[in-house]
Amino acid sequence: MAKFTSTPNRCVIVDGEELWISRSVTVLAIVVVVCDGNAYVPLNKRGPDLPSEVGKWCLAGGYLDYDETIGGAMLREVWEELGLDLKEIQANHRLVGSLDQPSLVFSEPRHSQNVTMHYPVMVFLSQGADLPPLNPQVSKGEVTDVGWFELEKALEMELAFNHQEILRRCLSNEFAKIWPASCLT
């Protein structure tokens, strides 16, 4: 079972203003799993305790904790929001992508974040293996539901934070040589 020792970000109120003690960086895991020739995406539904995009499905991701690496944050977020241990999956199946370094550093001015590290990872499960079970490790206030979605269906959904377009970009760029482009049309 995955274990993490990072210090969670925390909120303080100063003169009535909400300030976060954190490194204002987020990580986003763009995970695609190929099982028996079909591609699936694990998504989680944002819970009522989150500040935005509540009730929408999304890719796993979140803020970098104060004392962790960006790769460690990505692994932790996938574990917390989906219950997937990517290191264990990598040990038993073929994984394409890096668990340590992002493929893209993305910045968009918003009031909740300013820099996101994208981690596209494609896993090819061993022949006969089933999709791993999804079991979030956080409260229902953060993640209300999880599920495996066929890649084509995920691309048609209106995901939180425009994640369907981020997924599409990864398929056109990082995964272009290892997965057919026909799913993009």
Side-chain angles (χ1 to χ4, degrees):
M1 178 183 291
K3 295 193 189 245
F4 302 95
T5 59
S6 56
T7 304
N9 297 324
R10 63 188 188 279
C11 180
V12 295
I13 307 297
V14 177
D15 297 329
E17 185 179 352
E18 183 178 281
L19 301 173
W20 284 89
I21 307 299
S22 67
R23 297 164 71 186
S24 191
V25 172
T26 64
V27 295
L28 182 66
I30 303 108
V31 178
V32 176
V33 176
V34 178
C35 180
D36 294 329
N38 297 308
Y40 299 89
V41 179
L43 299 175
N44 69 79
K45 188 181 274 189
R46 294 177 59 80
D49 293 348
L50 298 178
S52 60
E53 305 278 6
V54 172
K56 285 190 173 182
W57 291 94
C58 65
L59 299 167
Y63 284 100
L64 175 70
D65 281 347
Y66 184 74
D67 58 352
E68 71 184 339
T69 65
I70 55 176
M74 185 274 298
L75 292 169
R76 176 182 52 75
E77 289 292 345
V78 170
W79 171 252
E80 288 177 354
E81 294 181 8
L82 300 169
L84 292 176
D85 184 338
L86 288 179
K87 291 270 191 185
E88 182 179 312
I89 290 171
Q90 182 181 37
N92 296 302
H93 305 282
R94 182 174 153 235
L95 185 140
V96 178
S98 173
L99 299 180
D100 298 313
Q101 294 297 320
S103 70
L104 177 72
V105 177
F106 178 75
S107 180
E108 180 178 31
R110 291 185 178 198
H111 37 245
S112 61
Q113 66 189 41
N114 62 353
V115 178
T116 300
M117 309 292 173
H118 289 191
Y119 280 86
V121 175
M122 187 169 277
V123 176
F124 293 86
L125 296 180
S126 302
Q127 187 66 31
D130 293 325
L131 289 169
L134 299 175
N135 183 23
Q137 303 298 303
V138 292
S139 74
K140 291 278 188 187
E142 186 172 342
V143 172
T144 60
D145 199 6
V146 291
W148 286 105
F149 292 81
E150 291 181 1
L151 175 59
E152 291 80 6
K153 181 175 180 183
L155 290 169
E156 294 171 3
M157 295 169 69
E158 184 181 330
L159 301 175
F161 308 109
N162 209 22
H163 283 177
Q164 72 279 3
E165 293 306 318
I166 293 168
L167 182 58
R168 193 177 310 282
R169 185 200 59 78
C170 288
L171 289 163
S172 295
N173 296 310
E174 290 86 0
F175 299 147
K177 292 182 180 177
I178 60 173
W179 194 252
S182 61
C183 66
L184 299 174
T185 56

